[in-house]
Amino acid sequence: MTSTADYTEKIPNNVSLHEDRRLQRALESWQPNFLTWWQTMGPTLPTQDVYLRTAVNVGREGWAQFGHVPMPEYRWGIFLAERDPGRRVGFGEHKGEPVWAKVPGEYRSELQRLIVIQGDTEPASVEQQRNLGATAPSLYDLRNLFQVNVEEGRHLWAMVYLLHAYFGREGREEAEELLHRNSGSEDSPRILGAFNEETPDWLSFFMFTYFTDRDGKYQLGTLKESAFDPLSRTCEFMLKEEAHHMMVGTTGIDRVVQRTVEVMHEHDTDDVAGLGAIPLSVIQKYLNFHYSVSLDLFGGETSTNVANYYTAGLKGRWLEDRRKDDHQLTSDSIMVDSLSEDGKIGQTEVSALVGLNTDLRREYISDCQSGVKRWNRILDEAGLTQRLKLPHIAFNRKVGAFAGIEASPDGEQLHAQEWQRRSRDWLPTDVDKTYVRSLMQPVHERGKIAAWIAPPRNGINGQPFDYDYVHLI
Ligand SMILES: [Fe+2]
Ligand SMILES: [Fe+2]
């Protein structure tokens, strides 16, 4: 197999799709449904073309090309990282055995479920972000939004390929369902809570790409370890694209904080609402919200399902091969968050296998810290004493040990009444949201930018900020 994509095919791919006519036909019949979904549920802002990155190769160098592309003609394709013929299972009871090129019968339904859950998040985020183009702060940001959108569309393709290629009729039905469920829908919502929340403004978008896309990065990281080799190779390549989404979130919040700091200095006040910038307190509230709903995505502190996935080799840990243990964990333990018998926030010891969700969530949390550090550096360099911070793990949780209690961002346990009274200081209120939305006036002029956000330090692919990233209609 070569790593170069075949672009002569209707569906660009590096999996020699033409050698399997049945599969090719099945995917070609799914393709028009995907395009209908893109047209009806994808970006609403009409555009002529967008300066987009398209994956053309999975190799280390030169894996993508850049150019102006009409979005409906984007070449969504199927790309798997190159196969390592010597790859062996890295963990669990099959550790050391050759990886699987096919789905073992006994793990079929579990693998299908994992792929469906991952697959469901990809189109969900496109749906959540569909109206943002109308209020983009610059053509540069507009282009980044669309880049994220087309790549999430490609990630859907990646999961649909696996379903079609390895899971027979049931897989094909699941692939259809991925287009039928919709974010926020009453009748058939997306599977996970955070993917049914709105992304109504660009501050939410940057928080989403920072916190929620980062959850995706960690989920993909565990699936990249899978003994089911096609899943592993698919996720490895998706992670490469995902890095850009993280960059959009990280630098997006950088730029919001930067601009706020400038306006605070200019007017010598913290109260920049009304001055066209977003107050630090509002940024903190948005951060609190997006971080806490993203923590929920990792599931309960303990899970026997996840323990079984690990033992079976379906889903590993983040950076499994860097862990210095036996990669089987049958006799290890871990402290996980829990409520004590008298209902207090605490920790309890469980077997390491059962606590794998906690392990992954902790990896994620320490990664999230790096962004906060970087935004605080901007505040520090501006000579300000205010700081942003991640709220306590028990804050605003709907899943896991702390779902039934209320806690402040500092981890102080609160009675329901007190929470009612004080939560408006910690989560975006209608007033905050209305204010942020009022700032979302589109700037679609080349080289211009909205007043609530600083321009980026660098453009895309070496192009300047004032490049014509998007041609509108
Ligand atoms: Fe994705
Ligand atoms: Fe993403």
Short mmCIF file of all heavy atoms in Angstrom, two decimals, residues 340-391:
data_model
loop_
_atom_site.label_atom_id
_atom_site.label_comp_id
_atom_site.label_asym_id
_atom_site.label_seq_id
_atom_site.Cartn_x
_atom_site.Cartn_y
_atom_site.Cartn_z
N SER A 340 -17.56 10.89 49.80
CA SER A 340 -17.45 10.02 50.98
C SER A 340 -18.85 9.65 51.45
O SER A 340 -19.85 10.17 50.93
CB SER A 340 -16.71 10.76 52.08
OG SER A 340 -17.47 11.88 52.47
N GLU A 341 -18.91 8.76 52.44
CA GLU A 341 -20.22 8.31 52.91
C GLU A 341 -21.09 9.45 53.41
O GLU A 341 -22.30 9.45 53.26
CB GLU A 341 -20.06 7.26 54.01
CG GLU A 341 -20.04 5.86 53.43
CD GLU A 341 -19.63 4.82 54.45
OE1 GLU A 341 -19.98 4.99 55.63
OE2 GLU A 341 -18.96 3.85 54.05
N ASP A 342 -20.43 10.45 54.00
CA ASP A 342 -21.22 11.59 54.48
C ASP A 342 -21.36 12.68 53.40
O ASP A 342 -21.68 13.83 53.70
CB ASP A 342 -20.63 12.16 55.78
CG ASP A 342 -19.17 12.55 55.62
OD1 ASP A 342 -18.58 12.20 54.57
OD2 ASP A 342 -18.63 13.21 56.53
N GLY A 343 -21.09 12.28 52.14
CA GLY A 343 -21.38 13.19 51.03
C GLY A 343 -20.35 14.27 50.78
O GLY A 343 -20.62 15.28 50.11
N LYS A 344 -19.13 14.08 51.29
CA LYS A 344 -18.08 15.10 51.09
C LYS A 344 -17.19 14.74 49.90
O LYS A 344 -16.97 13.56 49.60
CB LYS A 344 -17.22 15.18 52.35
CG LYS A 344 -17.98 15.70 53.58
CD LYS A 344 -17.87 17.22 53.67
CE LYS A 344 -18.79 17.83 54.70
NZ LYS A 344 -20.23 17.77 54.36
N ILE A 345 -16.67 15.78 49.23
CA ILE A 345 -15.75 15.57 48.11
C ILE A 345 -14.48 14.90 48.62
O ILE A 345 -13.87 15.39 49.57
CB ILE A 345 -15.39 16.92 47.46
CG1 ILE A 345 -16.64 17.58 46.85
CG2 ILE A 345 -14.30 16.74 46.40
CD1 ILE A 345 -16.42 18.99 46.33
N GLY A 346 -14.13 13.79 48.01
CA GLY A 346 -12.92 13.10 48.46
C GLY A 346 -12.37 12.20 47.37
O GLY A 346 -12.64 12.42 46.19
N GLN A 347 -11.61 11.20 47.79
CA GLN A 347 -11.04 10.26 46.84
C GLN A 347 -11.14 8.86 47.42
O GLN A 347 -11.22 8.68 48.64
CB GLN A 347 -9.56 10.58 46.59
CG GLN A 347 -9.36 11.89 45.83
CD GLN A 347 -8.10 11.88 44.99
OE1 GLN A 347 -7.11 11.28 45.38
NE2 GLN A 347 -8.13 12.56 43.86
N THR A 348 -11.11 7.89 46.53
CA THR A 348 -11.14 6.51 46.99
C THR A 348 -10.26 5.67 46.07
O THR A 348 -10.05 6.03 44.92
CB THR A 348 -12.59 5.99 47.02
OG1 THR A 348 -12.58 4.68 47.53
CG2 THR A 348 -13.23 5.97 45.66
N GLU A 349 -9.75 4.58 46.62
CA GLU A 349 -8.85 3.75 45.84
C GLU A 349 -9.63 2.65 45.12
O GLU A 349 -10.46 1.98 45.72
CB GLU A 349 -7.81 3.11 46.79
CG GLU A 349 -6.71 2.41 46.03
CD GLU A 349 -5.57 1.94 46.94
OE1 GLU A 349 -5.68 2.14 48.17
OE2 GLU A 349 -4.60 1.38 46.41
N VAL A 350 -9.34 2.51 43.83
CA VAL A 350 -9.99 1.43 43.05
C VAL A 350 -8.91 0.75 42.21
O VAL A 350 -7.79 1.25 42.10
CB VAL A 350 -11.10 1.97 42.11
CG1 VAL A 350 -12.21 2.64 42.90
CG2 VAL A 350 -10.53 2.93 41.05
N SER A 351 -9.25 -0.35 41.58
CA SER A 351 -8.27 -1.01 40.71
C SER A 351 -8.00 -0.11 39.50
O SER A 351 -8.88 0.59 39.01
CB SER A 351 -8.79 -2.38 40.28
OG SER A 351 -9.49 -2.27 39.06
N ALA A 352 -6.75 -0.14 39.05
CA ALA A 352 -6.32 0.77 37.98
C ALA A 352 -7.16 0.58 36.72
O ALA A 352 -7.44 1.54 36.00
CB ALA A 352 -4.84 0.55 37.68
N LEU A 353 -7.56 -0.66 36.47
CA LEU A 353 -8.34 -0.92 35.26
C LEU A 353 -9.69 -0.22 35.31
O LEU A 353 -10.13 0.40 34.34
CB LEU A 353 -8.56 -2.43 35.10
CG LEU A 353 -7.36 -3.22 34.60
CD1 LEU A 353 -7.64 -4.72 34.73
CD2 LEU A 353 -7.06 -2.87 33.14
N VAL A 354 -10.32 -0.30 36.45
CA VAL A 354 -11.64 0.29 36.61
C VAL A 354 -11.55 1.82 36.61
O VAL A 354 -12.49 2.52 36.22
CB VAL A 354 -12.28 -0.27 37.92
CG1 VAL A 354 -13.44 0.58 38.37
CG2 VAL A 354 -12.72 -1.71 37.70
N GLY A 355 -10.39 2.35 36.98
CA GLY A 355 -10.22 3.80 37.06
C GLY A 355 -9.65 4.45 35.81
O GLY A 355 -9.19 5.59 35.85
N LEU A 356 -9.71 3.76 34.68
CA LEU A 356 -9.05 4.30 33.47
C LEU A 356 -9.65 5.61 32.98
O LEU A 356 -8.94 6.46 32.44
CB LEU A 356 -9.06 3.26 32.35
CG LEU A 356 -8.00 2.15 32.51
CD1 LEU A 356 -8.23 1.04 31.50
CD2 LEU A 356 -6.60 2.73 32.34
N ASN A 357 -10.95 5.81 33.18
CA ASN A 357 -11.54 7.11 32.79
C ASN A 357 -10.88 8.25 33.56
O ASN A 357 -10.66 9.34 33.03
CB ASN A 357 -13.04 7.14 33.08
CG ASN A 357 -13.86 6.47 31.99
OD1 ASN A 357 -13.33 6.16 30.93
ND2 ASN A 357 -15.13 6.25 32.27
N THR A 358 -10.60 7.98 34.83
CA THR A 358 -9.97 9.00 35.67
C THR A 358 -8.56 9.28 35.18
O THR A 358 -8.13 10.44 35.10
CB THR A 358 -9.94 8.51 37.14
OG1 THR A 358 -11.29 8.41 37.59
CG2 THR A 358 -9.17 9.48 38.02
N ASP A 359 -7.86 8.23 34.81
CA ASP A 359 -6.51 8.40 34.28
C ASP A 359 -6.52 9.30 33.05
O ASP A 359 -5.74 10.25 32.94
CB ASP A 359 -5.94 7.02 33.91
CG ASP A 359 -4.57 7.09 33.28
OD1 ASP A 359 -3.59 7.26 34.04
OD2 ASP A 359 -4.46 7.02 32.04
N LEU A 360 -7.46 9.06 32.15
CA LEU A 360 -7.52 9.84 30.91
C LEU A 360 -7.94 11.28 31.21
O LEU A 360 -7.37 12.23 30.67
CB LEU A 360 -8.50 9.19 29.92
CG LEU A 360 -8.47 9.77 28.51
CD1 LEU A 360 -7.11 9.57 27.86
CD2 LEU A 360 -9.56 9.17 27.63
N ARG A 361 -8.91 11.43 32.11
CA ARG A 361 -9.37 12.78 32.45
C ARG A 361 -8.22 13.59 33.07
O ARG A 361 -8.06 14.77 32.79
CB ARG A 361 -10.57 12.72 33.40
CG ARG A 361 -11.15 14.09 33.69
CD ARG A 361 -12.56 14.08 34.27
NE ARG A 361 -12.88 12.88 34.97
CZ ARG A 361 -13.99 12.16 34.78
NH1 ARG A 361 -14.89 12.57 33.91
NH2 ARG A 361 -14.21 11.06 35.44
N ARG A 362 -7.38 12.93 33.88
CA ARG A 362 -6.25 13.65 34.49
C ARG A 362 -5.24 14.09 33.45
O ARG A 362 -4.68 15.18 33.53
CB ARG A 362 -5.59 12.77 35.55
CG ARG A 362 -6.42 12.77 36.81
CD ARG A 362 -5.79 12.01 37.93
NE ARG A 362 -6.76 11.91 39.02
CZ ARG A 362 -6.85 10.91 39.88
NH1 ARG A 362 -5.98 9.91 39.81
NH2 ARG A 362 -7.77 10.93 40.81
N GLU A 363 -4.99 13.24 32.45
CA GLU A 363 -4.08 13.63 31.37
C GLU A 363 -4.64 14.88 30.67
O GLU A 363 -3.92 15.83 30.36
CB GLU A 363 -3.95 12.50 30.34
CG GLU A 363 -3.27 11.25 30.87
CD GLU A 363 -1.78 11.45 31.07
OE1 GLU A 363 -1.19 12.29 30.38
OE2 GLU A 363 -1.21 10.75 31.95
N TYR A 364 -5.93 14.84 30.43
CA TYR A 364 -6.61 15.96 29.77
C TYR A 364 -6.51 17.23 30.61
O TYR A 364 -6.19 18.30 30.10
CB TYR A 364 -8.08 15.56 29.54
CG TYR A 364 -8.99 16.69 29.13
CD1 TYR A 364 -9.06 17.12 27.81
CD2 TYR A 364 -9.80 17.33 30.07
CE1 TYR A 364 -9.91 18.15 27.44
CE2 TYR A 364 -10.65 18.36 29.71
CZ TYR A 364 -10.70 18.77 28.39
OH TYR A 364 -11.53 19.79 28.03
N ILE A 365 -6.76 17.10 31.91
CA ILE A 365 -6.74 18.28 32.78
C ILE A 365 -5.35 18.93 32.76
O ILE A 365 -5.23 20.16 32.67
CB ILE A 365 -7.15 17.90 34.22
CG1 ILE A 365 -8.65 17.54 34.24
CG2 ILE A 365 -6.86 19.03 35.21
CD1 ILE A 365 -9.14 16.95 35.56
N SER A 366 -4.32 18.11 32.81
CA SER A 366 -3.00 18.75 32.86
C SER A 366 -2.67 19.42 31.52
O SER A 366 -1.99 20.43 31.47
CB SER A 366 -1.91 17.78 33.34
OG SER A 366 -1.62 16.86 32.33
N ASP A 367 -3.22 18.88 30.44
CA ASP A 367 -3.05 19.53 29.14
C ASP A 367 -3.83 20.87 29.13
O ASP A 367 -3.31 21.89 28.64
CB ASP A 367 -3.55 18.59 28.05
CG ASP A 367 -3.14 19.01 26.65
OD1 ASP A 367 -2.40 20.00 26.52
OD2 ASP A 367 -3.57 18.35 25.69
N CYS A 368 -5.03 20.86 29.68
CA CYS A 368 -5.83 22.10 29.73
C CYS A 368 -5.09 23.20 30.51
O CYS A 368 -5.18 24.38 30.16
CB CYS A 368 -7.18 21.84 30.39
SG CYS A 368 -8.32 20.91 29.36
N GLN A 369 -4.37 22.79 31.54
CA GLN A 369 -3.61 23.76 32.34
C GLN A 369 -2.64 24.58 31.48
O GLN A 369 -2.40 25.75 31.75
CB GLN A 369 -2.76 23.03 33.40
CG GLN A 369 -3.50 22.58 34.63
CD GLN A 369 -4.01 23.74 35.49
OE1 GLN A 369 -3.83 24.91 35.18
NE2 GLN A 369 -4.68 23.37 36.57
N SER A 370 -2.10 23.93 30.45
CA SER A 370 -1.08 24.62 29.65
C SER A 370 -1.66 25.85 28.96
O SER A 370 -0.98 26.87 28.82
CB SER A 370 -0.44 23.66 28.66
OG SER A 370 -1.40 23.24 27.72
N GLY A 371 -2.91 25.76 28.55
CA GLY A 371 -3.54 26.93 27.93
C GLY A 371 -3.73 28.05 28.94
O GLY A 371 -3.43 29.22 28.66
N VAL A 372 -4.20 27.67 30.12
CA VAL A 372 -4.45 28.67 31.16
C VAL A 372 -3.15 29.41 31.50
O VAL A 372 -3.12 30.63 31.64
CB VAL A 372 -5.06 28.00 32.41
CG1 VAL A 372 -5.22 29.00 33.53
CG2 VAL A 372 -6.40 27.37 32.07
N LYS A 373 -2.09 28.63 31.58
CA LYS A 373 -0.77 29.22 31.86
C LYS A 373 -0.41 30.27 30.82
O LYS A 373 0.07 31.35 31.12
CB LYS A 373 0.27 28.10 31.78
CG LYS A 373 1.00 27.81 33.07
CD LYS A 373 2.15 26.92 32.72
CE LYS A 373 2.93 26.51 33.93
NZ LYS A 373 3.75 25.33 33.60
N ARG A 374 -0.65 29.92 29.58
CA ARG A 374 -0.27 30.78 28.48
C ARG A 374 -1.13 32.05 28.47
O ARG A 374 -0.62 33.15 28.26
CB ARG A 374 -0.39 29.89 27.29
CG ARG A 374 -0.69 30.28 26.03
CD ARG A 374 -0.91 29.22 25.03
NE ARG A 374 -1.01 30.01 23.81
CZ ARG A 374 -0.33 29.78 22.73
NH1 ARG A 374 0.44 28.76 22.63
NH2 ARG A 374 -0.44 30.58 21.69
N TRP A 375 -2.42 31.93 28.77
CA TRP A 375 -3.28 33.12 28.82
C TRP A 375 -2.88 33.99 30.01
O TRP A 375 -2.89 35.22 29.92
CB TRP A 375 -4.76 32.73 28.89
CG TRP A 375 -5.14 31.79 27.78
CD1 TRP A 375 -4.68 31.85 26.48
CD2 TRP A 375 -5.98 30.63 27.85
NE1 TRP A 375 -5.20 30.81 25.74
CE2 TRP A 375 -6.00 30.05 26.55
CE3 TRP A 375 -6.74 30.03 28.85
CZ2 TRP A 375 -6.74 28.88 26.26
CZ3 TRP A 375 -7.48 28.89 28.56
CH2 TRP A 375 -7.47 28.33 27.28
N ASN A 376 -2.49 33.35 31.09
CA ASN A 376 -2.06 34.12 32.26
C ASN A 376 -0.74 34.85 32.01
O ASN A 376 -0.49 35.89 32.60
CB ASN A 376 -1.96 33.23 33.50
CG ASN A 376 -3.34 32.95 34.08
OD1 ASN A 376 -4.28 33.71 33.85
ND2 ASN A 376 -3.46 31.86 34.81
N ARG A 377 0.07 34.28 31.14
CA ARG A 377 1.32 34.97 30.78
C ARG A 377 0.99 36.30 30.09
O ARG A 377 1.66 37.30 30.31
CB ARG A 377 2.18 34.08 29.87
CG ARG A 377 3.67 34.32 30.05
CD ARG A 377 4.52 33.33 29.27
NE ARG A 377 4.15 31.95 29.54
CZ ARG A 377 3.99 31.00 28.60
NH1 ARG A 377 4.13 31.30 27.32
NH2 ARG A 377 3.68 29.78 28.94
N ILE A 378 -0.06 36.30 29.28
CA ILE A 378 -0.47 37.54 28.60
C ILE A 378 -0.88 38.57 29.66
O ILE A 378 -0.49 39.74 29.57
CB ILE A 378 -1.63 37.26 27.62
CG1 ILE A 378 -1.18 36.28 26.54
CG2 ILE A 378 -2.15 38.57 27.00
CD1 ILE A 378 -2.28 35.82 25.60
N LEU A 379 -1.61 38.12 30.67
CA LEU A 379 -2.04 39.03 31.75
C LEU A 379 -0.82 39.52 32.54
O LEU A 379 -0.71 40.71 32.87
CB LEU A 379 -3.01 38.31 32.69
CG LEU A 379 -4.34 37.85 32.06
CD1 LEU A 379 -5.15 37.02 33.05
CD2 LEU A 379 -5.15 39.05 31.58
N ASP A 380 0.08 38.60 32.80
CA ASP A 380 1.27 38.93 33.57
C ASP A 380 2.12 39.97 32.82
O ASP A 380 2.55 40.98 33.39
CB ASP A 380 2.07 37.65 33.81
CG ASP A 380 3.23 37.87 34.76
OD1 ASP A 380 3.04 38.64 35.72
OD2 ASP A 380 4.30 37.30 34.54
N GLU A 381 2.33 39.72 31.55
CA GLU A 381 3.16 40.63 30.76
C GLU A 381 2.53 42.01 30.64
O GLU A 381 3.23 43.00 30.43
CB GLU A 381 3.43 40.04 29.36
CG GLU A 381 4.54 39.01 29.42
CD GLU A 381 4.64 38.15 28.16
OE1 GLU A 381 3.99 38.49 27.14
OE2 GLU A 381 5.36 37.13 28.22
N ALA A 382 1.20 42.05 30.77
CA ALA A 382 0.52 43.35 30.72
C ALA A 382 0.53 44.03 32.09
O ALA A 382 -0.06 45.09 32.27
CB ALA A 382 -0.91 43.16 30.23
N GLY A 383 1.15 43.37 33.07
CA GLY A 383 1.24 43.96 34.41
C GLY A 383 -0.04 43.86 35.20
O GLY A 383 -0.25 44.59 36.18
N LEU A 384 -0.93 42.94 34.79
CA LEU A 384 -2.19 42.78 35.51
C LEU A 384 -2.06 41.69 36.57
O LEU A 384 -1.27 40.76 36.41
CB LEU A 384 -3.31 42.41 34.54
CG LEU A 384 -3.67 43.48 33.50
CD1 LEU A 384 -4.67 42.94 32.51
CD2 LEU A 384 -4.22 44.73 34.19
N THR A 385 -2.85 41.82 37.63
CA THR A 385 -2.78 40.82 38.69
C THR A 385 -3.87 39.76 38.55
O THR A 385 -3.81 38.71 39.18
CB THR A 385 -2.94 41.48 40.08
OG1 THR A 385 -4.13 42.25 40.05
CG2 THR A 385 -1.74 42.36 40.41
N GLN A 386 -4.89 40.02 37.72
CA GLN A 386 -5.96 39.03 37.55
C GLN A 386 -5.39 37.78 36.87
O GLN A 386 -4.46 37.88 36.07
CB GLN A 386 -7.08 39.57 36.66
CG GLN A 386 -7.89 40.68 37.27
CD GLN A 386 -7.39 42.03 36.82
OE1 GLN A 386 -6.17 42.21 36.62
NE2 GLN A 386 -8.28 42.98 36.66
N ARG A 387 -6.00 36.64 37.19
CA ARG A 387 -5.58 35.39 36.55
C ARG A 387 -6.80 34.56 36.18
O ARG A 387 -7.81 34.58 36.89
CB ARG A 387 -4.70 34.55 37.49
CG ARG A 387 -3.35 35.19 37.84
CD ARG A 387 -2.41 35.21 36.64
NE ARG A 387 -1.14 35.86 36.96
CZ ARG A 387 -0.86 37.17 36.72
NH1 ARG A 387 -1.80 37.95 36.18
NH2 ARG A 387 0.31 37.66 37.03
N LEU A 388 -6.69 33.81 35.09
CA LEU A 388 -7.72 32.83 34.75
C LEU A 388 -7.36 31.52 35.43
O LEU A 388 -6.18 31.28 35.72
CB LEU A 388 -7.78 32.66 33.23
CG LEU A 388 -8.22 33.90 32.46
CD1 LEU A 388 -7.95 33.71 30.96
CD2 LEU A 388 -9.71 34.17 32.69
N LYS A 389 -8.37 30.69 35.68
CA LYS A 389 -8.02 29.37 36.23
C LYS A 389 -9.07 28.33 35.88
O LYS A 389 -10.23 28.65 35.57
CB LYS A 389 -7.79 29.44 37.73
CG LYS A 389 -9.02 29.78 38.52
CD LYS A 389 -8.66 29.78 40.01
CE LYS A 389 -9.88 29.92 40.83
NZ LYS A 389 -10.37 28.96 41.66
N LEU A 390 -8.64 27.08 35.91
CA LEU A 390 -9.58 25.98 35.70
C LEU A 390 -10.38 25.82 36.99
O LEU A 390 -9.81 25.80 38.08
CB LEU A 390 -8.83 24.68 35.42
CG LEU A 390 -7.98 24.62 34.15
CD1 LEU A 390 -7.28 23.26 34.06
CD2 LEU A 390 -8.82 24.87 32.89
N PRO A 391 -11.70 25.69 36.88
CA PRO A 391 -12.49 25.46 38.09
C PRO A 391 -12.23 24.07 38.67
O PRO A 391 -11.70 23.19 37.98
CB PRO A 391 -13.94 25.58 37.60
CG PRO A 391 -13.89 25.27 36.16
CD PRO A 391 -12.54 25.73 35.66
#
